Amino acid sequence: MKSKNSDMPLNGWWDFLPKKAHKWVRLGRFDRPIGSWLLLLPCLWTLPLSNLKIDEVLYLSFIFFLGAFVMRSAGCVINDLWDKNIDKKITRTKNRPIASGEISIIKAFLFLAILLLFGLFCLSILNKETWIIALLSIPIIIIYPLAKRFTKWPQVFLGLAFSWGVPTAWVASGGSWNLGILF
């Protein structure tokens, strides 16, 4: 059930958590995991195409599972920080934790830092070539929130960001990603 005039569900799996934790669940959009699945699925589709054994595929799938949920949540925090003043003016988003003042900017940045450190930990487990591919995604991730303001097709950048899991998972599985000009 969603709250009236809002995009946030009122109840869900997080009900067993202390009430103080609910705002963090909402900030990281852990209450709506579809974006995390959209980030994860290209990785999961790519890993079985590699020459890895099933246990290695499962191991990498677990790392990508954790990384996708953490990094999508980090992206949501960044989006809410960018859009805090806009979100206040829109009925659907005015009750988001940063826009409503439920979570301060400083605490949101601390939460973001924790998410990014956890994402960095997941990345550090992977091979060094994967680090390069992951770093190449940063401009796309930064451009997406701005593309919403300056273009009529921000979903192109969102699609690129979500599909970046394909080269990332491929290189993590030991494959090479060669555009013929970069490497």
Side-chain angles (χ1 to χ4, degrees):
M1 181 172 148
K2 290 192 183 209
S3 60
K4 187 177 179 181
N5 298 325
S6 177
D7 64 346
M8 296 181 298
L10 291 174
N11 301 94
W13 65 265
W14 57 91
D15 288 340
F16 78 92
L17 296 172
K19 285 280 187 198
K20 290 181 179 182
H22 292 196
K23 62 186 174 185
W24 302 105
V25 168
R26 289 192 327 272
L27 178 61
R29 309 282 202 290
F30 293 110
D31 56 340
R32 290 169 287 162
I34 187 64
S36 299
W37 286 108
L38 291 172
L39 191 58
L40 175 62
L41 287 175
C43 303
L44 295 182
W45 291 329
T46 303
L47 290 172
L49 299 174
S50 69
N51 291 325
L52 296 177
K53 296 176 186 170
I54 188 68
D55 60 330
E56 296 169 320
V57 169
L58 292 174
Y59 173 73
L60 286 175
S61 295
F62 180 71
I63 293 170
F64 277 100
F65 176 84
L66 293 176
F69 275 79
V70 168
M71 294 311 294
R72 188 277 182 142
S73 294
C76 291
V77 174
I78 292 168
N79 182 71
D80 286 2
L81 287 165
W82 275 105
D83 291 348
K84 66 185 179 306
N85 294 324
I86 295 169
D87 285 347
K88 290 177 187 179
K89 300 172 186 174
I90 300 170
T91 303
R92 183 180 63 83
T93 59
K94 70 181 179 183
N95 292 324
R96 287 185 177 172
I98 296 173
S100 69
E102 187 178 13
I103 294 177
S104 71
I105 302 296
I106 292 171
K107 287 183 180 178
F109 273 111
L110 289 173
F111 185 60
L112 175 61
I114 291 167
L115 291 170
L116 292 174
L117 284 172
F118 195 80
L120 184 61
F121 172 73
C122 290
L123 183 61
S124 72
I125 294 170
L126 303 173
N127 61 41
K128 291 181 182 174
E129 292 81 14
T130 306
W131 301 357
I132 295 167
I133 301 302
L135 289 174
L136 289 173
S137 71
I138 291 173
I140 297 166
I141 295 165
I142 292 170
I143 290 170
Y144 168 65
L146 297 172
K148 292 188 303 182
R149 290 181 174 88
F150 301 111
T151 73
K152 294 184 186 221
W153 30 269
Q155 299 306 334
V156 169
F157 294 96
L158 186 61
L160 283 171
F162 278 143
S163 65
W164 205 261
V166 171
T168 306
W170 183 253
V171 172
S173 69
S176 64
W177 191 50
N178 187 338
L179 294 178
I181 55 172
L182 297 178
F183 301 106

